[in-house]
Amino acid sequence: MLLISCPNCGSRDETEFHYGGQAHVPYPENPTELNDREWAEYLFYRDNTKGAFAERWLHSTGCRQWFNMLRDTVTYDIQAVYPMGTPRPAGPSTSATSITAPEGAIK
Amino acid sequence: MANTAALDGINGLRDIRRSPASHLAAALEAGSVQGTVVLQEGPFQTMAAVRVEPRSEEGSRIASVAGGLPARSGEVGGADGTSVLWLGPSEFLVVAPEEAHDSLGGDLIGSLVAALGEAPGQVVDLSANRTTFELTGPRARAVLEKGCALDLHPRSFTPGTALSTEVGNIPVVLQKTAEDSFRLFPRASFADFLGRWLLDAMREFASPEVP
């Protein structure tokens, strides 16, 4: 169980929150000019980061407000909680760099 | 706006109204342990959801009608039997006794609507949305702690605060009205489950303590 610090309500259980996927995915400036592949990439293609990952969360059973969170997908360490619309903070060095890939994973 | 005749029942409709946990009334009484933990339903409270920016002019007009808006999570505003619970930075739940409803001679909803006026925001009569469970007694906290992850110890959860959270996996607003006295506001469709869940959690206190 993660303890997530909601900016409004303080530390609450993970079960009170709803995951909103990757943060900072901009809406295309001219959606009508996209071809099918670009549109599909905007809609469905997301990073699969190993390490610090910026994502959106909703405190659905609390204040019902969205916020952004910088979370390490390896260690689950929550590095920053920041409001929607603000740029991603420069987090500490990610643990991904220190974790060596299993042998044969990189070809 | 006062209509004293309405209190006798609007054409008898008040008498046939059923609260969401009324079918549990006998079970709640049987399951309560006097002097230890007592569960009751306090039905038909007047509730209004208010969405307004609290720092704006319309926010201060609403605050003067409701008796003050809470500024942050946990705080409870209101005065004279009216509680204003914090649901979000610009979202509040006004809870008042049944008689405050416009259909029963009160003027709470109407005056909130009038205070908002044409300004951005909304006031919605949600009196039928939630019911109220009143859990009192020295073991009330022990009952809640079986299904609530919040720190309910008096050092952090003090009388006169309210938090929206989950109790028994049900989203509720949990208000602490006094030492050993809690009010839970579940939505109507969850009232049956939460009532039975609380009864089950209370059952051990009916038995003598095992040394």
Side-chain angles (χ1 to χ4, degrees):
Chain A
M1 179 77 76
L2 288 180
L3 265 184
I4 297 175
S5 269
C6 169
N8 293 307
C9 306
S11 279
R12 296 294 182 93
D13 274 3
E14 173 192 356
T15 52
E16 292 193 6
F17 294 84
H18 190 91
Y19 184 65
Q22 181 181 350
H24 312 302
V25 179
Y27 191 77
E29 286 192 17
N30 295 308
T32 52
E33 292 174 9
L34 298 189
N35 61 33
D36 285 354
R37 172 157 193 92
E38 289 165 333
W39 184 242
E41 284 183 357
Y42 161 69
L43 284 182
F44 305 118
Y45 283 56
R46 294 292 180 264
D47 295 342
N48 186 17
T49 308
K50 185 178 182 183
F53 187 49
E55 54 200 10
R56 300 178 299 175
W57 286 82
L58 169 69
H59 191 191
S60 43
T61 47
C63 56
R64 308 205 295 179
Q65 303 294 306
W66 285 94
F67 58 92
N68 286 333
M69 194 161 96
L70 197 62
R71 182 180 63 94
D72 193 306
T73 56
V74 179
T75 62
Y76 286 78
D77 177 37
I78 298 171
Q79 298 171 347
V81 172
Y82 55 103
M84 302 295 286
T86 53
R88 172 182 168 144
S93 62
T94 65
S95 64
T97 52
S98 60
I99 293 175
T100 50
E103 200 173 329
I106 302 169
K107 300 241 170 167
Chain B
M1 212 150 187
N3 181 3
T4 49
L7 268 177
D8 303 329
I10 323 153
N11 302 325
L13 288 178
R14 172 64 183 80
D15 299 328
I16 60 170
R17 197 177 172 195
R18 293 283 175 270
S19 65
S22 58
H23 61 293
L24 290 177
L28 298 186
E29 189 167 352
S32 294
V33 188
Q34 294 298 329
T36 306
V37 59
V38 175
L39 180 62
Q40 286 175 311
E41 191 194 10
F44 304 137
Q45 296 207 80
T46 302
M47 299 189 200
V50 176
R51 296 203 75 146
V52 70
E53 172 53 51
R55 287 177 298 277
S56 63
E57 191 183 324
E58 58 271 20
S60 55
R61 287 203 303 269
I62 293 268
S64 64
V65 170
L69 297 177
R72 60 186 62 79
S73 171
E75 286 186 5
V76 177
D80 304 332
T82 302
S83 303
V84 186
L85 312 179
W86 188 95
L87 296 185
S90 59
E91 188 175 7
F92 309 95
L93 183 69
V94 183
V95 182
E98 184 183 3
E99 297 78 37
H101 196 274
D102 300 45
S103 66
L104 294 173
D107 63 348
L108 179 74
I109 312 284
S111 52
L112 284 173
V113 170
L116 182 65
E118 295 295 313
Q122 68 177 22
V123 175
V124 183
D125 179 5
L126 289 186
S127 302
N129 184 30
R130 294 171 187 265
T131 188
T132 309
F133 282 118
E134 287 163 357
L135 189 70
T136 53
R139 306 311 292 268
R141 175 161 72 95
V143 170
L144 290 175
E145 279 172 345
K146 295 182 184 186
C148 182
L150 287 179
D151 182 6
L152 300 181
H153 193 278
R155 76 178 157 241
S156 68
F157 193 43
T158 53
T161 58
L163 295 167
S164 46
T165 181
E166 292 177 358
V167 173
N169 296 328
I170 303 298
V172 299
V173 184
L174 178 64
Q175 183 185 10
K176 187 167 184 178
T177 48
E179 207 64 53
D180 301 334
S181 173
F182 298 87
R183 290 205 292 183
L184 296 94
F185 300 95
R187 294 201 175 88
S189 54
F190 291 123
D192 176 74
F193 178 88
L194 185 65
R196 292 177 195 276
W197 188 93
L198 287 168
L199 281 175
D200 183 52
M202 287 158 58
R203 198 161 55 173
E204 67 164 298
F205 299 110
S207 313
E209 195 167 338
V210 177

